[in-house]
Amino acid sequence: MRYLAIIAAAALVSACGNSDPVYNFNHREAGSSIDEGGFGNPTMHNMMVMTGQRSYAIDLGKRFASEVPSTVTFEFNSSVLDGTARQILRQQAGFMRQFPEVRFRVYGHTDLVGSDAYNRSLGQRRADAVVHHLSSLGISRSRLEAVVSFGETQPLIYTNDRERRNRRTVTEVSGFVQNHPVVMQGKYAEIVLRQYYGGGDGGGEGAAGLGITSP
């Protein structure tokens, strides 16, 4: 028995120093396989999945994209918002005002004319212009992000010529405001399914048009 105990202890020590990647993968702590080096990221990812926040953000994002134009376009080599862009952003702001628990991200894009470095900068300026305008319409700047510019790397139309449809920004739902009392209670489904009033900047038939009492 004493001999067996010694063998078992030696095996345990050997296992602790095992460099076999297959062994290590199967003996890691839960969540470590998606840890890219940022402290707490696996825990955050798991918590979002377990609480339903991740899936509800996706559902609300689909609703936003179906009810409100999510894209505005620009003149060549410009980040100036024209009348059509401002009208679309008023609709986006109308939707955003009905969901104060929700955060949004704006992605800037360009066409393929010009250098990658210049187009990245131009895409960022376009995203910044949209965020600034939404903020001027009463949307809290803390709920808006313009931190990502895809530049010329994700064209809708693959052409080396000037193409307005590629010169765009896209607004998307990025998550929920963490310190909002409703979010802290985990009422994500209630947020996604909420009816909102029609006839405002958001447009379309809402609670008022359907005779539904707003929550």
Side-chain angles (χ1 to χ4, degrees):
M1 292 296 294
R2 183 176 181 182
Y3 177 72
L4 291 175
I6 293 174
I7 293 177
L12 180 61
V13 171
S14 176
C16 291
N18 197 321
S19 59
D20 180 9
V22 175
Y23 176 89
N24 287 329
F25 179 83
N26 289 316
H27 289 79
R28 291 175 185 165
E29 66 277 11
S32 65
S33 60
I34 60 171
D35 187 358
E36 75 287 1
F39 179 78
N41 283 343
T43 301
M44 178 183 68
H45 176 85
N46 289 340
M47 183 173 64
M48 289 178 67
V49 172
M50 294 298 291
T51 61
Q53 180 178 169
R54 183 176 176 84
S55 63
Y56 283 128
I58 293 173
D59 291 341
L60 189 58
K62 292 178 180 177
R63 176 174 174 178
F64 174 76
S66 67
E67 296 183 4
V68 179
S70 59
T71 301
V72 299
T73 60
F74 296 81
E75 293 288 345
F76 180 73
N77 194 29
S78 172
S79 59
V80 176
L81 299 168
D82 61 18
T84 300
R86 291 172 182 270
Q87 182 180 6
I88 290 173
L89 293 179
R90 282 196 296 271
Q91 295 181 61
Q92 291 186 11
F95 185 98
M96 294 174 181
R97 279 193 289 271
Q98 311 306 320
F99 298 91
E101 313 92 342
V102 180
R103 293 183 292 109
F104 295 82
R105 182 173 293 138
V106 179
Y107 298 90
H109 302 263
T110 70
D111 59 25
L112 299 180
V113 180
S115 70
D116 180 70
Y118 181 83
N119 284 337
R120 269 191 176 277
S121 175
L122 178 58
Q124 184 67 56
R125 293 199 302 274
R126 287 171 174 166
D128 289 337
V130 168
V131 165
H132 177 75
H133 190 71
L134 289 171
S135 179
S136 74
L137 294 174
I139 307 304
S140 171
R141 182 64 180 82
S142 64
R143 297 174 55 207
L144 302 168
E145 297 178 89
V147 297
V148 177
S149 170
F150 288 113
E152 61 183 27
T153 62
Q154 293 187 7
L156 289 178
I157 309 299
Y158 284 89
T159 174
N160 290 321
D161 297 328
R162 298 183 181 186
E163 174 54 61
R164 186 177 181 108
R165 285 171 290 182
N166 291 335
R167 303 192 299 264
R168 70 199 191 280
T169 61
V170 180
T171 305
E172 297 181 357
V173 171
S174 62
F176 295 95
V177 178
Q178 295 305 308
N179 61 352
H180 195 282
V182 175
V183 174
M184 292 177 67
Q185 294 171 12
K187 297 182 179 179
Y188 304 116
E190 180 180 316
I191 296 171
V192 175
L193 297 175
R194 179 186 306 151
Q195 294 286 346
Y196 62 95
Y197 287 99
D201 289 335
E205 285 190 329
L210 297 174
I212 301 173
T213 303
S214 178

